[in-house]
Amino acid sequence: MLLAVCADLYADKVNLELSVNPAATVQELRSLICRVMDAEAELLRPPNYQRTPFDIHRLQIFNDQVLKWVDLVNNEQLHDGVQLYAFQPQTQWHTDVQKDLPPPRPPTWEQHPNHQSDGNIHQKGLPQHLVSGSSATHPSARAQWQHPNVTAQVHMASMHTGSKSSVRRGTAYETGRDGATEEEKVSYLFDEMDVEGRGALSAPDFIHWLRELIDVNDSNLQLLFDSADVHRRGLISKEEFRAFAKRFPNVSDIVFHRAADRWDVCNRELESRAAQQQMATNENYGNDITAELERLEQQKQKLLAQLSALEAESEELTRTVQTNQDLNTSVRTRQSVMHLEEKALMEKEIAMERNREALRDSEMRFLEQSQRFDMAAASLGSPRRSRQY
């Protein structure tokens, strides 16, 4: 899948062709873009200029259905020939500038003398499934950028309603209309009128342009075209247009300034629409954040209620544990007292049993002695009164 990825490198727009695997994720694509742009920036870096690694702050894709830039969030938004733009973090070394997107081209290192020997720079250190092949080897790479989706993006700032022409700000515009040279004005106007990129202006394109910009009737417009078409081919070459501008300096100057005015109006309208869309996006995002905050607040209240209930339950359990501990202490105290009392009773009972045994032994000894006494007395003939035992 062939994509166009544009970014600012050293105050200039660089729009590169990049061939990627359709199965690559957005995160993998961002990593690939960073490596490709980092290699490109290294080759384009001016002398003594601070080198900073390329990083992506925000990656957007041009949606050719609604004709606006949107954030790239998943690879389902990608398709062959789509245009991406990588915004970098704004630092003292980098600031994005407002300029037209140039036509996409292969990376510079693909034409670098060491390209064959050094290998494919943007594939170094990358998973092989990200890259489906170098854009330089793609036989239809140039043709694919005429895809309607990309054309809608490149031509989104068209100067004429219903016209196929696109606005391409050239050196004359970027220099400043008042400071532009005649050659810059001629080149700017010729490039704008040459809607097919053939290097020559047809009568319909030439007349349509002038009719849009100056108040001249069709017969005079045809006269101007015939005056420019010196070789009567029905086409005006750039050399013929240059001669026409010298022959009609007022007409060419007025056309140039009105074209620049139209571009300014168109650009402001685009910026206004972009600002309005961004405002709507920000508002929606703000609403989403507000709704999320409300949801989180509700969740917080629920969690606080659960926490309060858990704290109350914890306090109740603490009281129960303390009560049980007090009861256990009391029971252990009573058990200790009872053990002592039981021990005393058992010892007393044992002592009583010992006393009874001693008493029985004394009675037995007395009985034995009494019997011996009686027997002794009887043998001696001594009477002994009867004893009751």
Side-chain angles (χ1 to χ4, degrees):
M1 178 169 60
L2 195 63
L3 309 177
V5 182
C6 188
D8 273 37
L9 297 180
Y10 310 114
D12 197 11
K13 302 289 184 190
V14 175
N15 200 9
L16 301 182
E17 299 169 355
L18 186 61
S19 184
V20 302
N21 191 318
T25 65
V26 173
Q27 188 61 35
E28 291 171 335
L29 179 60
R30 290 170 70 101
S31 177
L32 178 60
I33 293 172
C34 284
R35 292 180 182 271
V36 171
M37 286 297 181
D38 201 46
E40 187 74 14
E42 182 63 20
L43 292 175
L44 300 179
R45 181 162 60 96
N48 301 323
Y49 199 87
Q50 175 72 22
R51 186 189 187 283
T52 56
F54 188 89
D55 191 19
I56 298 178
H57 173 67
R58 188 177 186 181
L59 185 60
Q60 289 197 322
I61 181 172
F62 187 80
N63 188 321
D64 48 17
Q65 295 180 347
V66 297
L67 297 182
K68 69 176 183 180
W69 292 93
V70 297
D71 289 335
L72 180 64
V73 295
N74 59 66
N75 60 357
E76 294 180 357
Q77 297 172 261
L78 299 174
H79 55 78
D80 203 35
V82 74
Q83 177 72 56
L84 304 178
Y85 194 91
F87 290 93
Q88 303 173 66
Q90 303 299 294
T91 66
Q92 60 175 333
W93 298 105
H94 173 80
T95 302
D96 284 313
V97 295
Q98 182 74 22
K99 285 185 180 180
D100 266 359
L101 273 62
R105 60 170 176 80
T108 301
W109 46 262
E110 290 190 349
Q111 290 84 37
H112 198 270
N114 297 327
H115 171 59
Q116 296 297 329
S117 58
D118 290 346
N120 203 340
I121 294 176
H122 77 277
Q123 296 189 35
K124 286 184 179 180
L126 289 177
Q128 292 300 314
H129 70 282
L130 293 186
V131 185
S132 62
S134 170
S135 58
T137 62
H138 204 299
S140 59
R142 293 297 177 186
Q144 290 194 36
W145 299 121
Q146 300 305 317
H147 187 283
N149 297 334
V150 177
T151 302
Q153 188 276 331
V154 177
H155 293 174
M156 64 180 177
S158 178
M159 181 177 293
H160 310 293
T161 304
S163 170
K164 296 181 293 181
S165 167
S166 66
V167 176
R168 299 178 294 274
R169 287 186 296 178
T171 305
Y173 191 90
E174 294 173 0
T175 303
R177 66 181 70 176
D178 294 330
T181 65
E182 293 302 320
E183 179 60 28
E184 288 172 341
K185 293 179 182 180
V186 168
S187 296
Y188 172 76
L189 288 176
F190 187 85
D191 291 341
E192 291 298 322
M193 294 183 184
D194 185 13
V195 296
E196 302 295 338
R198 296 175 300 183
L201 305 179
S202 65
D205 289 339
F206 181 87
I207 293 174
H208 176 80
W209 257 85
L210 294 187
R211 185 188 295 119
E212 288 285 327
L213 297 174
I214 58 177
D215 186 15
V216 179
N217 58 44
D218 289 348
S219 61
N220 288 333
L221 291 176
Q222 186 63 49
L223 175 62
L224 291 174
F225 178 81
D226 293 338
S227 298
D229 184 16
V230 177
H231 299 294
R232 298 294 182 264
R233 298 180 300 128
L235 294 173
I236 302 174
S237 66
K238 193 167 186 176
E239 290 298 326
E240 289 175 325
F241 187 77
R242 186 178 292 108
F244 167 81
K246 291 181 179 179
R247 186 182 306 174
F248 299 93
N250 292 328
V251 172
S252 61
D253 195 58
I254 291 172
V255 169
F256 168 75
H257 283 282
R258 290 192 179 180
D261 290 339
R262 291 285 293 273
W263 164 254
D264 288 338
V265 171
C266 181
N267 191 43
R268 284 193 292 269
E269 289 177 353
L270 288 174
E271 290 178 351
S272 297
R273 285 204 297 271
Q276 291 172 355
Q277 291 166 358
Q278 189 61 43
M279 288 172 59
T281 301
N282 292 344
E283 184 177 357
N284 293 334
Y285 185 57
N287 292 336
D288 293 341
I289 292 177
T290 302
E292 181 67 13
L293 288 175
E294 292 176 354
R295 186 187 68 79
L296 292 175
E297 183 64 27
Q298 293 174 357
Q299 185 176 1
K300 174 186 174 183
Q301 296 302 324
K302 290 181 181 178
L303 292 175
L304 288 175
Q306 293 177 4
L307 177 62
S308 179
L310 290 174
E311 290 176 346
E313 183 178 357
S314 178
E315 292 176 358
E316 182 63 27
L317 292 174
T318 300
R319 287 193 295 269
T320 301
V321 169
Q322 186 62 44
T323 300
N324 290 336
Q325 289 177 346
D326 294 342
L327 288 174
N328 290 337
T329 301
S330 177
V331 168
R332 283 194 295 270
T333 302
R334 287 198 303 271
Q335 286 178 343
S336 298
V337 173
M338 289 177 64
H339 289 164
L340 293 174
E341 292 176 349
E342 289 172 350
K343 182 178 180 181
L345 287 173
M346 288 188 294
E347 290 176 350
K348 185 177 182 181
E349 189 175 37
I350 292 172
M352 290 178 64
E353 181 62 24
R354 286 177 178 171
N355 290 335
R356 284 194 295 269
E357 287 290 335
L359 183 60
R360 283 195 294 271
D361 291 343
S362 296
E363 287 178 347
M364 290 297 295
R365 287 194 299 273
F366 177 79
L367 181 60
E368 290 175 354
Q369 291 178 358
S370 178
Q371 288 177 349
R372 286 194 300 270
F373 179 80
D374 288 342
M375 291 175 64
S379 64
L380 296 175
S382 176
R384 186 177 175 83
R385 59 179 179 271
S386 176
R387 294 188 181 188
Q388 301 294 327
Y389 294 100

